[in-house]
Amino acid sequence: MTIALRLGLFYAALFIGSGASAPYAGVWFRAHGLSGAGIGMVLAAPSLGRAVTGPAMALWADGFSLRRTPIAVIAAGVAAAYIGLVLTHGFWPWLALWFVSQSLLGSCSPLGDVIALRRARTEGFNYGWPRGIGSAGYIFANVAMGFLIGLASPNVMLVWVVIWAAIAAAAAYWLLPPDPVHEGGVRLPARERFKGLGELIADPVFMLAIVSTGLIQASHGFYYGFSALAWKGQGLASGVVGVLWGVGVAAEVGFLWFMEPWRRRIGPERLVVLGGLGAVVRWTCLAMSPPLWLLIPLQALHALTFTATFMGSLQLMERLAPARSATSAQTLNAVLSGGFLIGLATMASGRLFDAAGSRGYLVMSAIAALGLVGAICLTPLQRARSASLRTDSA
């Protein structure tokens, strides 16, 4: 089995679980009595906490000899937290257990990305292929869970995610390569790991890059938390909602598998700009509650709003961070893009949905526009820094 396929199967195991929880967690919490504001708080808490949990998990993971070991441990912890959700009831237990499960889950993908990006570079395959296999698994989960909830009840979602979190833990241990965290398999002391993290935070161009991409990704907060409820409110069946989510991720897979030459040609800065433009258009249109025939091409914009932004951010992190800080760079990126900023957006989305329904997407459009402005500034700032470095070395 090739390394690209092994990585793809790991991503698939991970995303078949999250592909069921991301669109339907709100539906599960609503079915168990939570209001939109309560759902927003529960869904947002892990993202808000990721400003602390993300760097902490990165520093912890860098203390192992092999990169795959902490990923397997984390995925097993996700399964345990999901089992806790099955066994408890009430806002506060759900908040605590959802916080634990999603804080852990949010660390798996960036830790896996470090392995996949390095292997893609050294072995010459397209990183988008294994990542696209994972996204295909996400589509499968979107569609399958939509129909299962329609046939049974929202409780089937939790059974599904427990099973797939356990499978992801096994896949991390058995399928991921035994890549060392540091050259020679040495373990860096905590002080050295903190030093690399501090250098990244002090770099203004690096921070502009992750804040800009983070804002564009954060603009998905309303969509992730409340699109299923909004579309069901328009009269669409659960199965149709699952298909619409599947269309978005299918566009993502197409981008990952077939746009590699074009992606390399235009560069990461332009990818992020395109992602920002696509997000402004997508959320503005969704705020108008468009008919089903228009929802399909709007969902296809996910290839830009999420995937182009995501791929651009990964490339920027590799370019702007030293190799010794690769884990910290990708985790900081995830902390903002899938963490603190999207947590704020998701928390606001709960009240927006209660007050304005689909019109809440307009706030997401404004957030994406801020990220777009930052992305436009990246290229001149990088050129200015390169010119300054050349002058200093002359």
Side-chain angles (χ1 to χ4, degrees), residues 23-112:
Y24 298 110
V27 175
W28 187 87
F29 285 120
R30 174 73 91 181
H32 287 76
L34 287 190
S35 66
I39 295 170
M41 290 180 65
V42 171
L43 298 183
S47 300
L48 293 172
R50 205 163 292 162
V52 174
T53 60
M57 293 298 294
L59 292 169
W60 172 77
D62 271 353
F64 285 81
S65 296
L66 300 180
R67 292 195 181 277
R68 70 185 181 188
T69 306
I71 301 174
V73 172
I74 289 168
V78 173
Y82 281 147
I83 291 172
L85 280 171
V86 175
L87 300 176
T88 60
H89 189 275
F91 175 80
W92 292 110
W94 288 338
L95 176 66
L97 288 163
W98 190 256
F99 180 89
V100 171
S101 69
Q102 301 310 294
S103 296
L104 294 174
L105 184 62
S107 299
C108 286
S109 183
L111 292 176

Side-chain angles (χ1 to χ4, degrees), residues 178-222:
D179 288 359
V181 175
H182 302 288
E183 292 298 327
V186 299
R187 296 189 180 189
L188 288 183
R191 182 167 58 183
E192 289 297 315
R193 286 180 261 150
F194 274 107
K195 181 181 177 182
L197 185 63
E199 289 173 352
L200 292 175
I201 294 172
D203 183 343
V205 178
F206 177 86
M207 291 305 296
L208 176 63
I210 64 171
V211 169
S212 300
T213 57
L215 285 169
I216 297 169
Q217 296 289 27
S219 72
H220 291 72
F222 193 94

Side-chain angles (χ1 to χ4, degrees), residues 244-303:
L244 285 172
W245 268 71
V247 168
V249 187
E252 174 186 333
V253 173
F255 187 101
L256 290 169
W257 283 355
F258 304 115
M259 302 299 288
E260 176 73 2
W262 174 80
R263 177 178 69 80
R264 290 185 179 277
R265 188 167 62 250
I266 72 167
E269 296 86 358
R270 290 178 182 173
L271 279 178
V272 178
V273 169
L274 286 172
L277 287 171
V280 171
V281 172
R282 186 183 182 190
W283 310 138
T284 301
C285 292
L286 285 179
M288 305 299 117
S289 299
L292 180 59
W293 65 266
L294 186 55
L295 286 174
I296 294 173
L298 288 174
Q299 283 299 91
L301 283 177
H302 196 72

